[in-house]
Amino acid sequence: MVLEEYWREFRERCSQCAAVSWGLTDEGKYYCTSCHNVTERSREVIDTGAIPNTKIQAINRGLKRKRKLEKGWDWYVCEGFQHILYQQAEALQSLGVGPELKNEVLHNFWKRYLQKSKQAYCKNPVYTSRRKTTVLEDNLSHSDWESEPELLSDMSCLSFAESGAESQPDVRTPKPFPIIKASHSETTSVCSGSLDGVEYSLRKEKGVMKMSVPRTLAFCYLSLLWQRETITLSDLLRFVEEEHIPYIHAFQHFPEEMKLYGRDKGIFAIESWPNYEVIFKKIIEVATFLDLPRFPDITENCYLHPNILCMKYLMEVNLPDEMHNVTCLVVKSTGIGEVDFLRFDPIAKKAKTVKYDVQAVAVIVVALKLLFLLDDNLEWSLSNIAKKYNEKNKEDKPWFDFRKWYQVMKKAIDEKKQKWEEARAKFLWKGEKPLYYSAIDRPVVYKRREMVVSLQKQFSTLVDSAPNVEKKKPSSFQFNWTEEDSERPCFHGHSLQGVLQQKGQSLTTKNSLYWLSTQKFCKSHCKHVTTYEESNFSLSYQFILNLFSFLLRIKTSFLHEEVSLIEKRLFKAKYNKTNKKSSRSRKTRKY
C-alpha cells in the first residue's frame, strides 16, 4: 500500500477548517494540507522507509489514542447534565458571580438531586442493567452518605469537580458523580452514546423528577437565589439567549471522549428558547422535589427587594428618578416589601413564589396609572401642560413630558426589537458537532453539515461583506441613557411637579381617578388569575405593558396578571365592596 492510500484512509474533518485533506509529517502524524493544522492522530506504518525519521513509538501511541477516542468513554446521562451545570456555573462566575455558587451551593443542590433520584449517594442506584458502577459503591463507604444527610447544613464540605477532570479528590470527599473511563466493552448502548440513554428516555417512575436541559437553568436560578446574587430570572434567560451561558448547544462542550448520538439527541438537544413561565414552573418543581429548606431572607438591602429593582427598571426605561418615591409608597402600602412576603420556603405548607423582577415592573405600571391614569386622555393633557411650562422656563428643571417620553421610548424599543428579531432569525440551531442517531448515519450527517457550512459562508459573503461584530459584554441594562445624547434625551432628572400638587405638608397626585386592570378575578380552579385582551384597554396601557414585557421577555398577559394582583392588595376596600355587592345580588336572585 503506497503512502497516499494511508492518507486517504483518514477521512475525519479538520477541527480548524473542516476540510478532509491530510498529509503525514516526518513523525507520522496527520496534518491538514489546507490550513497545516497538525493533529495528535498517527498511523501505524509497517514500511518505515517511506517516511524519513519515523518514530515507531510515537506512532503506536497515537494509534492507541485514536482507537480510544473512536470508542469513547462509558458515561451516564446524569454525567452529561453535570457537565452542562458545570459549564453554566463557570459562565455565571465569569459574569461576576462568586465562586461559592459553583463550589458549594449548586454542587450540593445537584448532589441532593442525585440522591433523591437514586442515581448516586444511595445504597441501591437505579442502574439495574449491564453493570454496576463500582465507583458509586466505593462512595457509599463514607458513613455520612449511608443515610440521607442534611446536605445544606455543611456547604463547605465538598467542591464541584469538573466532569471528566483528572483531579485527585480528598479522601473524605469523593467526586459527586465521576465520569467512568470505560474498558470499551460491550456495555455501550447500541441506540445511544451513553450507557443509559435508552433506559433513561423510557423511565417513568412516579415521584421522581427526570432531569432535562431546561431544569439546569432552574438549578442555576435556585443557586443564584440562595446566594441572593444580582441576577434575576429574566436576566438569566436573556444571558442564555445572548449565548453568554451554555444552553442551546451545551452538549457541544462535552469532552471528545463522551460520544453522543441516538437517544441522547432527544435528551440533550434543545430546539427552542427558554420561556420565563416554563422555567419558573420548573424552579418550583426542582425546589419541591429536593425538599429544600427556607431560603435566606430578602431584606431591603438585597438586590431582589422591590424597592431596589424598581429603581433599576426606572433607570432602564428612562423614567424620572422622582418616581421612585411613588413606587416605594406602593410597595409599602401593599406589603410586598416585607421579609415574610418575599421569603421563598419550598417546604412550607403555604409556600409563596415571588417573581421578583415581574413584581417590580408591575409596581412601576401601577405607579404610572396613579400619576397619569393611562386612559388615552389625561396623560396627553398633562403632557401639554408640561410642554408649555418647559417652553417658558427653559433654565428651570424640566417637567416630565409623557408624550415626548413615549416618542423616545417607542423609537428605541422598535429598534431594539428589530435587532432582536434579526438575531433570532440568523441564529444557527444546528451546532458545529451535528448529532446523529446511529454510527451508520454519521458520515451522511457530517457531509450534510459540511455542505451547509460551505453554503452559509458563500451566502454571508454575498449578502454582507462586513466583518462579524464582536459579541457585546453582558449587562443588566439593555438601554443606556445619557444627558449628552440629543437624539435620545434622558428623563432621569425631570420633575414630576406637573402631575403632583401640594396638599398640607405632603404631595398628592393631581389625578384622583384610577381604573382597575381586573374587575373580577378567576376562580381558584383556573390556571390563570385573569384574562387579557388588548382591545379592552387603552393604547397607553398597552404600550407600557408591551415595553416592560419585551424587557423581561415575558408575555403581556403574564405582566397584566401581576399588575392586577398588586392592585388587589392596594385597593382591598374597593375589591371587598365589589365582592359584597356580587354576593348580595346572588342572594336576591334566590328569592
Side-chain angles (χ1 to χ4, degrees):
M1 185 181 292
V2 296
L3 192 58
E4 286 78 9
E5 292 179 0
Y6 285 121
W7 299 345
R8 293 193 196 101
E9 279 188 2
F10 189 59
R11 302 299 299 169
E12 291 191 16
R13 297 186 307 153
C14 176
S15 60
Q16 299 293 331
C17 65
V20 186
S21 178
W22 301 99
L24 282 177
T25 63
D26 292 344
E27 294 182 352
K29 294 184 178 182
Y30 288 102
Y31 74 94
C32 180
T33 58
S34 298
C35 64
H36 302 287
N37 172 43
V38 181
T39 68
E40 293 296 328
R41 309 292 179 87
S42 304
R43 184 69 166 87
E44 187 173 9
V45 182
I46 298 174
D47 184 10
T48 58
I51 306 175
N53 301 324
T54 304
K55 295 182 180 180
I56 302 298
Q57 293 179 352
I59 293 175
N60 288 337
R61 285 199 301 270
L63 180 61
K64 289 180 182 178
R65 185 177 184 276
K66 179 182 177 182
R67 286 175 180 170
K68 182 178 180 180
L69 289 173
E70 285 178 350
K71 193 70 178 177
W73 292 341
D74 285 355
W75 60 282
Y76 290 97
V77 170
C78 62
E79 293 175 297
F81 286 119
Q82 177 174 302
H83 198 279
I84 293 174
L85 284 172
Y86 180 84
Q87 296 297 329
Q88 291 173 343
E90 286 283 306
L92 288 171
Q93 192 170 339
S94 67
L95 296 177
V97 175
E100 297 83 9
L101 181 135
K102 178 186 73 171
N103 298 330
E104 298 175 6
V105 184
L106 182 56
H107 171 260
N108 281 273
F109 286 170
W110 177 241
K111 191 178 83 169
R112 195 177 184 93
Y113 169 76
L114 293 176
Q115 187 181 49
K116 287 281 185 181
S117 58
K118 297 181 181 180
Q119 298 183 70
Y121 306 127
C122 59
K123 293 182 180 179
N124 299 310
V126 294
Y127 305 108
T128 57
S129 60
R130 303 186 187 93
R131 66 175 175 85
K132 291 185 179 180
T133 53
T134 55
V135 179
L136 293 179
E137 293 175 354
D138 293 338
N139 286 349
L140 290 173
S141 62
H142 192 256
S143 58
D144 292 343
W145 293 349
E146 290 178 355
S147 59
E148 181 175 342
E150 291 294 328
L151 299 175
L152 297 174
S153 61
D154 185 10
M155 302 292 281
S156 60
C157 64
L158 295 164
S159 60
F160 196 175
E162 180 177 359
S163 300
E166 294 287 352
S167 59
Q168 296 293 332
D170 184 58
V171 177
R172 296 184 59 191
T173 58
K175 288 184 181 181
F177 200 90
I179 285 182
I180 304 156
K181 298 183 180 180
S183 57
H184 314 301
S185 62
E186 297 177 358
T187 57
T188 305
S189 173
V190 178
C191 299
S192 67
S194 59
L195 288 173
D196 62 332
V198 178
E199 182 182 346
Y200 189 88
S201 60
L202 298 176
R203 189 182 302 151
K204 293 181 180 180
E205 187 177 349
K206 188 177 181 181
V208 176
M209 183 190 71
K210 288 177 64 174
M211 193 60 186
S212 63
V213 178
R215 285 195 172 101
T216 61
L217 297 181
F219 273 88
C220 290
Y221 179 74
L222 287 171
S223 304
L224 291 168
L225 182 58
W226 184 276
Q227 290 293 97
R228 295 178 293 182
E229 292 286 349
T230 58
I231 296 179
T232 62
L233 179 56
S234 58
D235 289 334
L236 178 67
L237 301 187
R238 182 165 54 84
F239 292 152
V240 167
E241 191 172 327
E242 294 172 356
E243 298 185 86
H244 298 298
I245 298 176
Y247 180 76
I248 300 294
H249 299 144
F251 61 87
Q252 301 279 351
H253 303 283
F254 284 7
E256 189 177 359
E257 295 84 354
M258 290 178 66
K259 301 300 180 182
L260 190 142
Y261 59 87
R263 290 297 182 92
D264 301 329
K265 181 177 181 179
I267 298 172
F268 293 102
I270 296 295
E271 296 181 352
S272 62
W273 296 107
N275 178 272
Y276 188 105
E277 296 179 60
V278 174
I279 300 299
F280 188 80
K281 290 179 181 178
K282 294 190 181 299
I283 290 169
I284 308 304
E285 291 175 3
V286 172
T288 306
F289 177 75
L290 299 183
D291 288 333
L292 297 180
R294 188 179 71 185
F295 277 54
D297 292 338
I298 305 296
T299 60
E300 292 184 358
N301 298 325
C302 294
Y303 179 78
L304 296 176
H305 193 275
N307 287 340
I308 297 180
L309 282 178
C310 282
M311 185 186 300
K312 185 254 186 186
Y313 289 118
L314 286 172
M315 295 174 63
E316 180 80 84
V317 297
N318 201 13
L319 286 170
D321 298 333
E322 293 182 8
M323 270 197 66
H324 189 244
N325 297 327
V326 183
T327 58
C328 287
L329 287 174
V330 174
V331 170
K332 184 177 180 180
S333 301
T334 54
I336 63 174
E338 301 296 329
V339 174
D340 292 338
F341 181 85
L342 297 172
R343 182 184 294 125
F344 180 51
D345 190 356
I347 60 177
K349 291 183 179 179
K350 294 183 179 180
K352 296 188 298 292
T353 55
V354 181
K355 311 171 191 72
Y356 301 99
D357 42 5
V358 181
Q359 177 185 257
V361 165
V363 170
I364 297 176
V365 176
V366 172
L368 286 169
K369 289 178 68 177
L370 289 169
L371 294 172
F372 301 98
L373 192 59
L374 302 182
D375 65 341
D376 288 343
N377 185 17
L378 182 63
E379 62 268 30
W380 309 127
S381 300
L382 294 173
S383 297
N384 293 332
I385 296 173
K387 182 179 180 182
K388 291 178 181 178
Y389 176 86
N390 293 335
E391 290 175 352
K392 293 180 181 179
N393 305 274
K394 294 183 179 181
E395 296 181 359
D396 295 342
K397 189 176 183 179
W399 285 6
F400 178 70
D401 186 343
F402 185 88
R403 179 183 286 108
K404 189 175 181 181
W405 171 83
Y406 166 80
Q407 293 171 350
V408 171
M409 287 306 302
K410 190 175 188 312
K411 182 180 179 182
I413 203 70
D414 287 345
E415 292 175 356
K416 182 71 71 173
K417 273 186 177 180
Q418 184 178 356
K419 292 180 181 179
W420 174 71
E421 290 172 355
E422 289 176 356
R424 282 205 161 189
K426 293 178 181 179
F427 184 78
L428 300 177
W429 290 99
K430 300 294 183 182
E432 294 180 2
K433 297 178 181 178
L435 296 176
Y436 48 91
Y437 284 101
S438 65
I440 300 175
D441 301 330
R442 186 179 182 275
V444 179
V445 172
Y446 270 92
K447 184 64 178 178
R448 287 177 180 174
R449 179 59 186 164
E450 188 177 347
M451 293 173 61
V452 169
V453 172
S454 177
L455 289 172
Q456 286 173 346
K457 288 180 180 179
Q458 297 176 24
F459 184 74
S460 60
T461 304
L462 294 171
V463 175
D464 185 15
S465 58
N468 293 329
V469 181
E470 188 178 353
K471 187 189 296 185
K472 292 183 179 180
K473 293 183 179 180
S475 173
S476 295
F477 291 91
Q478 302 179 56
F479 292 101
N480 183 26
W481 308 100
T482 57
E483 297 288 349
E484 293 77 16
D485 194 344
S486 57
E487 294 183 359
R488 290 161 41 119
C490 178
F491 294 90
H492 292 159
H494 288 213
S495 173
L496 293 177
Q497 290 297 321
V499 295
L500 298 175
Q501 61 184 0
Q502 193 74 30
K503 190 174 182 180
Q505 296 182 351
S506 60
L507 286 173
T508 61
T509 60
K510 291 182 178 180
N511 167 43
S512 59
L513 303 175
Y514 193 92
W515 56 272
L516 297 173
S517 301
T518 298
Q519 295 291 337
K520 188 178 180 180
F521 289 90
C522 297
K523 296 181 180 180
S524 57
H525 58 78
C526 292
K527 294 183 179 180
H528 48 74
V529 177
T530 181
T531 57
Y532 175 73
E533 295 183 10
E534 287 190 346
S535 59
N536 296 335
F537 298 94
S538 63
L539 296 176
S540 298
Y541 181 72
Q542 292 179 36
F543 172 76
I544 297 296
L545 287 190
N546 290 329
L547 169 63
F548 284 111
S549 298
F550 175 74
L551 288 178
L552 302 186
R553 307 294 194 269
I554 59 176
K555 293 180 181 178
T556 312
S557 58
F558 196 57
L559 177 56
H560 175 74
E561 286 186 5
E562 198 68 27
V563 172
S564 301
L565 292 174
I566 297 293
E567 292 177 344
K568 187 178 181 180
R569 299 179 68 92
L570 187 62
F571 302 102
K572 286 182 180 179
K574 200 168 185 179
Y575 276 106
N576 289 335
K577 288 181 180 179
T578 305
N579 293 333
K580 286 180 181 179
K581 287 181 180 179
S582 60
S583 63
R584 287 174 183 173
S585 62
R586 284 196 297 269
K587 288 180 181 179
T588 54
R589 287 194 197 101
K590 290 181 181 179
Y591 295 104

